[in-house]
Amino acid sequence: MIIPTAFHALKSSRSISWSPTGRLQQTLAGCLELSGISLHSGKVSKVKLCPEFAGRGRYFDFKSNFIPASIDYAEDSPLCTTLSKDGFKIRTVEHLLSAMEAMGVDNCRIEITNEDAKDSEVEVPIFDGSAGKWVDAIEEIGLKLAIDQCGNFCEKMAPHVNQPVHVWRNDCFLIAFPATAVRITYGINFPQVPEIGCQWFFTAPLDNKFYAEQIAPSRTFCIYEEVGVEQMRNMGLIKGGSIENALVCSVSKGWINPPLRFHDEPCRHKVLDLIGDLSLFARLGSQGIPVAHLVVYKGGHATHANFVRCLLENI
């Protein structure tokens, strides 16, 4: 038996409405486990992804504290996306959630631990700074149709943009236009760094194959002269950072650790982050990223999160 997910279709006069995708909700075919160093804390953490019932969505399990992968629990934090509930925090969730959203892992329990039993904060491993390792692991274990606790399959719903929705600050903006499929146009601009400069990347349209081959391998990046390593480490940031898990570009010397995987790898990584942050709009095993043409210029985690909050206001 197939039952509809507990969403109510909204009139098209509203900016956002939910509609069936024509697909059923999925989960992992089995458990998978990966461990690695964390970018900001520098500690080793372990993540175990487990199958979950349809309608449960994606959520973290940290010391038996359940934190949904939802914008309701997102907090502002520098350089990454952080989820917080009842004093417990999960940091740097964006690469993992990006892979799960794009590859169709709609329902999943994400168990996470680190080496310090006293910590109230934990961080998802950074690996090489991309989502490639998550995609490889998901493809290896495979997916299956998810059933609810009564043994029923559930429809997968998706949010649709009926009217333009936007957020902006100074010359940075994110706007969603109505479209029949998910499309992303993303621009970045670093005029002070000639090797990066102004870049644009366009997905047409976004699907799991395109994501796995063209977006997931792109790595996070930073500007050498702007990092302020000691100051950031004193703030508890980038303690695990190295040229093994981030691209580093110098204003005067160019790329410190080439080669790039794509000529526009920095821009592609921004798309990777965007998908992870927009996944926080998902509810009850639904699709998080809205069916729309998303146009972003000079975005970042704060812009992405503000846009998801704007979507909530327009339901």
Side-chain angles (χ1 to χ4, degrees):
M1 180 179 179
I2 300 173
I3 61 173
T5 307
F7 282 101
H8 300 288
L10 303 175
K11 294 181 180 179
S12 60
S13 60
R14 303 301 297 271
S15 298
I16 306 297
S17 61
W18 293 88
S19 300
T21 62
R23 302 187 301 275
L24 299 176
Q25 291 186 24
Q26 299 181 117
T27 189
L28 293 169
C31 293
L32 67 89
E33 188 173 300
L34 294 175
S35 61
I37 195 167
S38 303
L39 174 61
H40 295 300
S41 69
K43 297 179 180 179
V44 173
S45 57
K46 180 171 65 176
V47 177
K48 184 177 181 181
L49 305 183
C50 303
E52 186 50 282
F53 287 114
R56 290 287 185 86
R58 298 179 286 255
Y59 64 92
F60 288 86
D61 179 355
F62 178 41
K63 298 182 177 180
S64 298
N65 295 278
F66 302 135
I67 306 178
S70 164
I71 192 63
D72 298 331
Y73 301 95
E75 67 172 32
D76 293 334
S77 59
L79 304 180
C80 68
T81 299
T82 299
L83 299 174
S84 177
K85 182 184 177 187
D86 299 331
F88 293 92
K89 295 184 179 183
I90 317 292
R91 301 171 69 184
T92 322
V93 300
E94 58 271 22
H95 298 174
L96 169 58
L97 293 180
S98 180
M100 297 179 84
E101 173 75 12
M103 302 304 290
V105 184
D106 307 314
N107 303 278
C108 185
R109 184 175 77 257
I110 308 165
E111 300 176 2
I112 184 166
T113 58
N114 68 7
E115 55 198 9
D116 191 339
K118 297 179 181 179
D119 280 352
S120 60
E121 298 185 11
V122 69
E123 190 175 351
V124 177
I126 188 64
F127 299 125
D128 67 351
S130 77
K133 195 158 187 175
W134 292 118
V135 168
D136 291 344
I138 291 168
E139 289 184 328
E140 182 176 353
I141 200 70
L143 301 177
K144 67 179 181 180
L145 294 179
I147 57 172
D148 66 14
Q149 288 180 293
C150 297
N152 299 312
F153 298 112
C154 292
E155 290 182 314
K156 181 174 180 176
M157 307 290 282
H160 288 250
V161 171
N162 302 313
Q163 301 173 9
V165 179
H166 74 279
V167 296
W168 61 276
R169 181 178 181 183
N170 299 325
D171 62 342
C172 310
F173 64 82
L174 196 170
I175 183 167
F177 297 98
T180 57
V182 177
R183 299 175 184 271
I184 300 172
T185 300
Y186 209 116
I188 62 174
N189 193 10
F190 292 83
Q192 77 280 20
V193 189
E195 284 292 322
I196 299 178
C198 184
Q199 300 180 4
W200 286 91
F201 183 74
F202 175 64
T203 68
L206 180 67
D207 59 33
N208 58 355
K209 185 176 186 296
F210 184 89
Y211 177 87
E213 296 177 355
Q214 303 295 326
I215 297 175
S218 58
R219 295 161 290 177
T220 192
F221 67 98
C222 65
I223 312 305
Y224 179 79
E225 289 81 0
E226 297 177 2
V227 170
V229 173
E230 291 307 316
Q231 179 182 2
M232 294 180 73
R233 287 184 172 172
N234 289 336
M235 295 169 61
L237 300 172
I238 68 167
K239 291 182 178 180
S242 74
I243 60 173
E244 302 301 321
N245 52 38
L247 288 170
V248 183
C249 193
S250 168
V251 172
S252 59
K253 299 179 181 180
W255 292 106
I256 302 298
N257 53 339
L260 272 64
R261 294 171 178 171
F262 309 96
H263 74 278
D264 52 1
E265 188 169 353
C267 196
R268 293 180 189 232
H269 185 80
K270 287 288 190 176
V271 174
L272 187 160
D273 281 345
L274 173 69
I275 295 167
D277 292 338
L278 294 187
S279 76
L280 298 177
F281 192 49
R283 294 291 188 277
L284 307 174
S286 72
Q287 178 173 307
I289 189 167
V291 177
H293 183 184
L294 299 150
V295 182
V296 194
Y297 180 64
K298 295 175 66 173
H301 294 302
T303 302
H304 303 163
N306 286 338
F307 177 76
V308 177
R309 295 186 181 102
C310 184
L311 293 179
L312 281 175
E313 294 172 0
N314 283 275
I315 290 181

